[in-house]
Amino acid sequence: MAEHVESAAPQDIDPEDAKIVTLARSARARTGAAEGAAVRDTDGRTYAACTVELPSLRLTALQVAVAMAVASGAEGLEAAAVVTDADAVGAESVAAVRDVGAKAPVLRADAPGDVVGVVEA
């Protein structure tokens, strides 16, 4: 998978981006999962998900959120957010976003919801 570079978080977060961070935090908190994620499609609809860890299926939270968007008919993504304790967004997560939103920024937030980095296209 291609390398991705994370830049520092912007000083001001767009209110719509803050919304998907909040949704990602909620998904993570609700299930106690390792990660929570949310995406916003090009029609403004949002999809929130958490990590799936089953004996026969393992998906990152962003992979699930992207799959939900695609299954709902989304033709593109505007932005994505993941709440995680990890130091970076995994390559498999970024790849899933890039499949549907080549230019969508991927925001990485910590548990309190502070955006700590952004993976740009």
Side-chain angles (χ1 to χ4, degrees):
M1 287 185 206
E3 290 287 321
H4 60 272
V5 177
E6 184 176 283
S7 60
Q11 291 286 7
D12 296 316
I13 302 298
D14 178 90
E16 291 299 312
D17 290 345
K19 176 182 174 182
I20 62 172
V21 171
T22 298
L23 291 170
R25 283 186 70 216
S26 296
R28 182 181 190 221
R30 184 173 49 254
T31 62
E35 293 182 344
V39 298
R40 183 177 61 252
D41 72 13
T42 52
D43 290 330
R45 297 175 295 189
T46 56
Y47 307 86
C50 64
T51 308
V52 173
E53 292 187 7
L54 301 172
S56 64
L57 180 65
R58 293 188 176 281
L59 296 170
T60 69
L62 267 175
Q63 287 173 324
V64 177
V66 169
M68 291 171 60
V70 170
S72 295
E75 295 183 9
L77 296 179
E78 287 183 350
V82 62
V83 174
T84 182
D85 294 329
D87 292 335
V89 179
E92 66 279 7
S93 293
V94 174
V97 172
R98 294 290 170 256
D99 285 345
V100 186
K103 297 185 184 225
V106 179
L107 291 79
R108 181 174 61 89
D110 58 15
D114 296 320
V115 176
V116 294
V118 180
V119 177
E120 300 287 347

